[in-house]
């Protein structure tokens, strides 16, 4: 867990796997390992581990939450819904708020807008979540500058304690609303402000190395070699 906190996911895997080997029926250890596999995009490895976590007795809400997150991340949002609802039935505090935001993402990705609005609306009375909940509700529909929710978004700018990511989301929604209203200069101004909040902290050298490796790997020869695989449709 200390390695995960330092974002050293690769180094953490061996310890997470050792914990599960030592206690194979521990839902907590299984959840830790499954989430780690998800962080590393090891999708096929994550599913059986998280299914074992949910099958444990007693199974805490974290197991259902982790399996729901797996289905959402792997493009199977419909299958995530039941597990999110199962997790919400027993979760409380900040964990419940985080699950509800994930649940919101699943519902909105499925086009179930009314249900997504309802899920986020339950967080409007939560002191730690109401700002983000307001922004997420605004993101569901197309608004213009004369809408009530746009006025709410403008007022949120005055909160000095917003996290950079939340402030970026806020500026993005304000920009989209100006864009919908054909106030393009204002829209670009807020899009620029949103981008400025999301400063990249990575390494240019590492990023360049990754891109060069992809260029080497996905050569014309590779595409020619596997041209007959898959679906022939131009779509």
């Amino acid at each position: 867990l200390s390695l995960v906190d330092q974002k050293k996911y690769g180094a953490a895997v061996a310890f997470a796997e050792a914990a599960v080997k030592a206690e194979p029926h521990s839902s907590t250890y299984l959840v830790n390992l499954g989430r780690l596999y998800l962080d590393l995009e090891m999708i096929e490895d994550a599913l059986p581990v998280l299914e074992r976590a949910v099958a444990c007795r007693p199974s805490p809400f974290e197991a259902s939450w982790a399996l729901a997150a797996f289905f959402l991340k792997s493009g199977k949002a419909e299958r995530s819904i039941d597990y999110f609802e199962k997790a919400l039935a027993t979760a409380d505090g900040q964990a419940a708020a985080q699950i509800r935001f994930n649940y919101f993402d699943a519902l909105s990705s499925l086009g179930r807008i009314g249900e997504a609005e309802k899920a986020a609306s339950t967080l409007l009375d939560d002191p730690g979540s109401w700002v983000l909940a307001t922004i997420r509700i605004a993101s569901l529909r197309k608004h213009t500058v004369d809408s009530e929710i746009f006025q709410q978004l403008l007022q949120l700018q005055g909160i000095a304690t917003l996290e950079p990511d939340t402030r970026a989301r806020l500026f993005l929604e304000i920009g989209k609303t100006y864009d919908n209203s054909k106030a393009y200069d204002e829209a670009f101004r807020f899009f620029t402000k949103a981008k400025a909040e999301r400063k990249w902290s990575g390494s240019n050298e590492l990023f360049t190395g990754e891109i060069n490796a992809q260029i080497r790997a996905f050569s014309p020869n590779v595409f020619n070699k596997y041209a007959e695989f898959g679906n022939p449709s131009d779509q």
Side-chain angles (χ1 to χ4, degrees), residues 214-225:
Q214 291 182 35
I215 291 171
R216 289 192 299 272
F218 295 97
S219 66
N221 290 336
V222 169
F223 284 102
N224 291 334
K225 181 178 179 180

Side-chain angles (χ1 to χ4, degrees), residues 157 159-172 189-201:
Q157 294 180 91
I159 302 176
T161 56
L162 293 183
E163 294 290 329
D165 183 68
T166 302
R167 192 171 293 280
R169 287 176 181 267
L170 173 60
F171 290 153
L172 180 62
R189 187 165 72 86
F190 276 92
F191 290 151
T192 302
K193 291 173 68 171
K195 185 177 177 64
E197 291 291 333
R198 288 179 168 163
K199 295 181 177 65
W200 187 53
S201 59

Side-chain angles (χ1 to χ4, degrees), residues 42-60:
M42 297 167 65
I43 300 295
E44 292 181 357
D45 294 306
L47 180 57
V49 171
L50 294 174
E51 286 179 329
R52 283 169 57 195
V54 170
C56 287
R57 294 290 183 270
S59 174

Side-chain angles (χ1 to χ4, degrees), residues 63-182:
S64 295
W65 180 13
L67 190 54
F70 164 82
F71 285 125
L72 180 59
K73 188 166 186 175
S74 58
K76 300 173 183 175
E78 190 68 55
R79 294 189 64 184
S80 74
I81 298 298
D82 288 344
Y83 289 103
F84 277 130
E85 292 175 349
K86 185 176 180 181
L88 284 169
T90 55
D92 56 14
Q94 189 56 41
Q98 291 177 331
I99 296 170
R100 202 165 291 280
F101 277 123
N102 294 159
Y103 183 46
F104 169 95
D105 289 334
L107 291 168
S108 60
S109 73
L110 292 168
R112 294 161 63 171
I113 304 303
E115 293 173 80
E117 284 179 326
K118 184 176 179 181
S121 295
T122 61
L123 296 167
L124 293 176
D125 293 327
D126 182 348
S129 304
W130 73 273
V131 172
L132 184 56
T134 301
I135 297 169
R136 300 305 295 278
I137 290 171
S139 73
L140 288 171
R141 300 182 188 273
K142 191 173 182 178
H143 302 285
T144 56
V145 294
D146 56 358
S147 64
E148 179 181 346
I149 199 162
F150 179 65
Q151 299 307 315
Q152 295 176 22
L153 294 176
L154 292 179
Q155 292 173 10
L156 294 180
Q157 294 180 91
I159 302 176
T161 56
L162 293 183
E163 294 290 329
D165 183 68
T166 302
R167 192 171 293 280
R169 287 176 181 267
L170 173 60
F171 290 153
L172 180 62
E173 290 307 318
I174 293 175
K176 284 165 57 179
T177 308
Y178 276 125
D179 188 39
N180 295 337
S181 305
K182 302 186 186 305

